[in-house]
Amino acid sequence: MNKLRILALIAAFAVQLLYGLTFTFAKDVMANGYVKPFGFIALRVGGAALLFWIVNFFTPKEKIETKDYVKFFVAAIFGLVVNMLFFFKGLELTTPIHASVIMITSPIIVLILSSFYLNEKITKLKILGVIFGFTGAAILTIYGKSPNPGDNVSLGNIMVFINAISYSIYIVLIKQLTDKYHPFTFIKWLFLFGFFMVLPFGYSDLTMVDTSTLHLTYGFL
């Protein structure tokens, strides 16, 4: 195994670790009423857009083909708007464990979509994995429960599953864009479009945030 592959695997593990922590922290923030789901998304996407456009000043500049702006816009719909709004609203209603398990279906959906859109081959072993993955997610969605009486696990699980489908479509759609443009070029436009699309949903939630109630719950933050 070469050094670049090892670094890639370490980076992928770090991303998944941080992504996993998001389930628990975001659920806690929303459960305590600090920030509602859509307001959370507006802050997340807006902060990321600002960060990437600042970093843009120190990265190579690329010219975007006019037709590709439409692709960035569509990618933002599936990768940020539908994906994040449904995920965080679903997470508010279900549990972090349920949400994380359902998100396992994303690679499965990507596999299916790639076979049609990118003509990737599906083997028997992959088909078996798809069956097991969807079966587990379906059982959890239907029969999952939460100790929190305010949760609506079934609805929350369905919304997280819609998020998984949207994210999978996004992964397939961006293949050509990520091959064509530098990652920072792609990300800065993706989040810029995404911010203006999620802001109408999150603005009302943001106006209700009481900053005086915010505090650092976790000692290591």
Side-chain angles (χ1 to χ4, degrees):
M1 186 178 295
N2 60 54
K3 185 179 293 186
L4 287 177
R5 180 170 175 77
I6 293 175
L7 290 175
L9 291 173
I10 293 174
F13 175 77
V15 169
Q16 291 304 313
L17 177 62
L18 293 173
Y19 190 60
L21 291 173
T22 299
F23 290 93
T24 301
F25 293 161
K27 176 68 176 182
D28 182 69
V29 170
M30 292 184 292
N32 285 288
Y34 298 135
V35 184
K36 291 188 176 182
F38 292 168
F40 203 119
I41 294 304
L43 288 173
R44 183 180 183 182
V45 177
L50 179 62
L51 175 63
F52 285 119
W53 277 89
I54 291 175
V55 173
N56 171 65
F57 291 106
F58 308 98
T59 58
K61 304 300 183 293
E62 291 182 292
K63 183 178 180 180
I64 307 296
E65 291 188 30
T66 304
K67 64 178 182 180
D68 287 337
Y69 283 110
V70 176
K71 296 179 181 179
F72 280 114
F73 181 81
V74 174
I77 292 175
F78 287 102
L80 295 181
V81 183
V82 177
N83 168 31
M84 290 190 179
L85 292 179
F86 272 86
F87 172 72
F88 272 76
K89 187 61 180 178
L91 183 59
E92 182 188 35
L93 300 174
T94 187
T95 69
I97 294 177
H98 289 163
S100 61
V101 172
I102 292 172
M103 284 302 297
I104 294 175
T105 60
S106 287
I108 299 171
I109 300 170
V110 169
L111 173 66
I112 296 173
L113 293 177
S114 296
S115 68
F116 292 101
Y117 188 73
L118 302 177
N119 296 318
E120 293 188 4
K121 185 178 180 181
I122 297 182
T123 64
K124 292 181 180 180
L125 185 60
K126 291 178 180 179
I127 293 175
L128 184 62
V130 168
I131 294 174
F132 277 117
F134 271 118
T135 300
I139 292 174
L140 187 60
T141 300
I142 296 172
Y143 298 105
K145 296 181 179 180
S146 170
N148 186 349
D151 287 348
N152 185 338
V153 175
S154 295
L155 178 59
N157 288 347
I158 291 172
M159 297 185 78
V160 173
F161 184 62
I162 292 174
N163 145 72
I165 294 174
S166 179
Y167 184 72
S168 301
I169 294 173
Y170 158 77
I171 290 295
V172 175
L173 288 179
I174 66 171
K175 175 62 177 175
Q176 293 178 341
L177 290 175
T178 53
D179 287 343
K180 189 174 183 179
Y181 297 106
H182 188 279
F184 277 111
T185 301
F186 169 76
I187 290 295
K188 73 177 184 182
W189 284 107
L190 181 77
F191 275 88
L192 182 64
F193 282 127
F195 173 67
F196 287 108
M197 284 189 278
V198 300
L199 187 59
F201 295 94
Y203 179 77
S204 178
D205 285 356
L206 289 177
T207 59
M208 293 188 291
V209 174
D210 183 1
T211 55
S212 65
T213 64
L214 299 176
H215 60 85
L216 298 180
T217 304
Y218 301 98
F220 58 89
L221 290 180

